[in-house]
Amino acid sequence: MTTLMQSLHTLLRHRWRDESDARRALPPEAMERLRQRVAASERRHTGQIRIAVEAGLPSSYLWRHIRKGVPLRQIVRERAVMLFGKLRVWDTERNNGVLIYLLLADQAIELVADRGLNRCVSNADWKAMVARMGLAFQAGQFEDGLTQALEEVSAVLVAHFPREAGEPLSGERANELPDAPALI
């Protein structure tokens, strides 16, 4: 397939996806289970986890990057980093927030961690986690893949930022980000 054909195919694949596709992939009951899992995870560590699910990239965003010859993998990463900021995951007291980003059109996942956690985990470890989770997404098991992502990220946060015995679970800074997954 020529580069132009590949670009058109990518644009169409993303253009045909919308929020209803995300709701079919993750119906309300799955979203609620994921919310509960995030809340349960955050009771075990001081990190903050956000899940973001996007059906397809905006056409203008995608086209701007494709015209420049940016590889799709890099486009997905840049989008995840942009959402990391937009969803304020970077704005946690201990700099240990993590965004788990799922792009349905490409069944791609990205993990973006704040600097406090990135000091503790190598890029190779993050990439290995992403590779393991990709298998569930390729099989169309989105809730399972996100649950696996959440469990792996939680394990890292518990190892490096455990909640101390007696540390309050409530208060102004205890739950800094919403637990519910964001549909973009």
Side-chain angles (χ1 to χ4, degrees):
M1 190 182 300
T2 68
T3 303
L4 177 61
M5 292 298 291
Q6 288 173 331
S7 297
L8 288 173
H9 179 70
T10 299
L11 279 168
L12 289 173
R13 185 174 65 244
H14 285 262
R15 181 72 180 116
W16 284 334
R17 298 286 180 137
D18 63 16
E19 195 172 310
S20 64
D21 293 302
R23 292 192 189 288
R24 275 192 299 281
L26 292 163
E29 34 313 326
M31 296 290 277
E32 176 57 21
R33 285 189 296 271
L34 289 167
R35 185 199 65 75
Q36 291 173 4
R37 289 178 183 126
V38 168
S41 167
E42 289 179 356
R43 286 192 290 271
R44 298 174 30 228
H45 54 76
T46 61
Q48 294 291 301
I49 300 173
R50 235 11 254 273
I51 296 174
V53 179
E54 188 166 31
L57 295 172
S59 297
S60 60
Y61 182 88
L62 194 57
W63 181 246
R64 182 173 55 247
H65 284 76
I66 288 175
R67 273 195 352 239
K68 294 177 183 176
V70 177
L72 187 58
R73 184 83 217 139
Q74 185 178 335
I75 295 170
V76 173
R77 178 69 184 176
E78 286 177 18
R79 180 66 172 182
V81 169
M82 189 271 300
L83 289 172
F84 179 82
K86 186 176 182 178
L87 296 172
R88 302 188 61 86
V89 181
W90 60 270
D91 194 23
T92 61
E93 182 177 359
R94 297 180 185 183
N95 298 314
N96 59 357
V98 179
L99 174 69
I100 300 171
Y101 172 71
L102 170 61
L103 178 61
L104 289 171
D106 294 311
Q107 299 176 347
I109 187 168
E110 281 293 331
L111 298 174
V112 183
D114 205 347
R115 61 193 173 274
L117 185 57
N118 263 337
R119 283 192 286 262
C120 305
V121 182
S122 72
N123 282 337
D125 288 338
W126 288 123
K127 287 179 183 181
M129 282 185 226
V130 168
R132 286 189 296 274
M133 293 168 234
L135 298 174
F137 297 132
Q138 289 170 0
Q141 299 169 336
F142 301 110
E143 182 181 359
D144 292 345
L146 288 170
T147 297
Q148 179 183 355
L150 181 58
E151 288 172 358
E152 291 203 36
V153 167
S154 294
V156 169
L157 284 165
V158 167
H160 298 287
F161 295 93
R163 186 167 299 280
E164 301 298 325
E167 191 171 355
L169 293 172
S170 61
E172 183 180 314
R173 303 293 281 182
N175 194 13
E176 301 171 69
L177 300 172
D179 295 335
L183 287 181
I184 309 297

